[in-house]
Amino acid sequence: MSRRRRTPRGPRGAPPPLSGGNQRVEERGDGDWVVRTITGSSSTKTYTCPGCSQAIRPATPHVVVWPLEPGLLSASGLEERRHWHTPCWRRHR
């Protein structure tokens, strides 16, 4: 029986790769955040932006952010990942 090759996992707290974007770390007043740009073509669900409480509709370019260091009560950054409108994230300080 052949063995399947497993995909290497990222560091603790790193969400799985998302298609259609790039990733960087940004510093804000409340800590360091991983910011991933999502293209409209890779966005297929509706999310609620925490900056304005409005819907981010499918096919809308936006950013996904999560803390570089997960909180003490979080098993991973997946639990703290949030989708923001790009202008709302830029205003978030």
Side-chain angles (χ1 to χ4, degrees):
M1 186 182 283
S2 67
R3 294 177 62 158
R4 285 188 183 183
R5 186 173 176 176
R6 294 185 65 152
T7 307
R9 295 182 184 234
R12 180 185 175 275
L18 298 175
S19 62
N22 59 39
Q23 183 173 303
R24 63 194 175 278
V25 175
E26 293 185 10
E27 184 178 336
R28 298 283 196 247
D30 55 352
D32 293 336
W33 296 85
V34 179
V35 180
R36 183 172 288 160
T37 303
I38 303 298
T39 63
S41 63
S42 67
S43 175
T44 59
K45 293 172 50 178
T46 299
Y47 301 97
T48 301
C49 174
C52 66
S53 300
Q54 299 295 312
I56 301 172
R57 304 216 182 276
T60 303
H62 62 282
V63 294
V64 179
V65 302
W66 63 93
L68 186 61
E69 294 293 325
L72 293 175
L73 300 176
S74 297
S76 73
L78 286 173
E79 298 168 4
E80 299 179 54
R81 187 173 63 178
R82 298 293 178 260
H83 294 252
W84 291 68
H85 290 112
T86 303
C88 294
W89 176 250
R90 285 187 191 135
R91 286 191 300 268
H92 174 74
R93 294 290 168 187

